[in-house]
Amino acid sequence: ISKYKLNKGYNNIKIIIKNKIKDLRYMFDSCKNLENINELKYLNVKYCTNFKGMFNYCLSLKDITPLENWDVSNSTNFSEMFSGCSLLKDIKPLKKWNVLNCTNFKGMFYDCESLNDITPLENWDVSNCTNFSAMFWSCLSLKDIKPL
């Protein structure tokens, strides 16, 4: 990453990438005021294998639409990616993600208190995953797990 800059209020991000990213672990960890991630729609994550805790405890994050066209097919680790994102309610942007190579979903949505619909995940092929522990732990609004 050649330039990584968060504006004064940590609400918006401007990012310029020049290399093939392989690890985004905890990139925005605890950015509690981060709301706007629109610039991430341009981020090429094709070579990234580790998204662990990328948005961990981004308490203000609600809209993850910019992530919907990400090619995450090489990732093996989504653990804690959205853990603690208490305002995250809509995960439809993740519907088309190819997660076949992922082996670890531990706590991916841990403590996402507003998440109430996991239907977008119903067509995920998780046949290679070995760790689902606490994936939906403390998702207080979740009422139906039929999609799984």
Side-chain angles (χ1 to χ4, degrees):
I1 298 176
S2 62
K3 182 178 181 183
Y4 168 66
K5 175 181 158 188
L6 293 174
N7 77 349
K8 186 176 179 183
Y10 295 100
N11 294 323
N12 298 299
I13 56 176
K14 178 66 178 174
I15 199 162
I16 299 170
I17 306 297
K18 292 189 176 181
N19 299 321
K20 294 178 182 176
I21 301 169
K22 295 182 181 174
D23 193 335
L24 290 169
R25 181 179 10 189
Y26 298 112
M27 185 173 191
F28 300 106
D29 183 49
S30 299
C31 290
K32 63 181 181 177
N33 295 316
L34 182 64
E35 295 176 355
N36 183 346
I37 60 169
N38 288 334
E39 292 299 316
L40 291 181
K41 68 183 168 188
Y42 305 110
L43 189 62
N44 181 356
V45 296
K46 182 178 182 172
Y47 302 99
C48 186
T49 59
N50 194 352
F51 290 93
K52 180 177 183 169
M54 184 175 183
F55 299 104
N56 189 46
Y57 284 90
C58 290
L59 302 176
S60 301
L61 185 61
K62 291 189 239 181
D63 183 11
I64 58 171
T65 304
L67 312 182
E68 75 181 323
N69 291 316
W70 274 11
D71 178 356
V72 296
S73 59
N74 287 312
S75 180
T76 57
N77 190 356
F78 290 108
S79 66
E80 303 167 18
M81 186 174 185
F82 300 105
S83 68
C85 294
S86 55
L87 296 180
L88 182 61
K89 183 177 184 178
D90 182 8
I91 58 171
K92 286 183 205 130
L94 310 182
K95 183 177 183 172
K96 295 180 183 175
W97 276 16
N98 176 355
V99 295
L100 178 63
N101 288 316
C102 184
T103 57
N104 190 358
F105 288 104
K106 179 182 179 185
M108 185 175 185
F109 300 104
Y110 177 96
D111 214 11
C112 289
E113 297 174 356
S114 300
L115 182 62
N116 62 12
D117 182 16
I118 56 172
T119 306
L121 310 182
E122 69 185 340
N123 291 318
W124 275 13
D125 183 346
V126 293
S127 56
N128 290 316
C129 184
T130 56
N131 190 352
F132 292 104
S133 62
M135 186 173 180
F136 299 103
W137 181 285
S138 198
C139 290
L140 304 176
S141 301
L142 191 59
K143 295 177 183 171
D144 186 5
I145 60 167
K146 286 180 188 173
L148 298 179

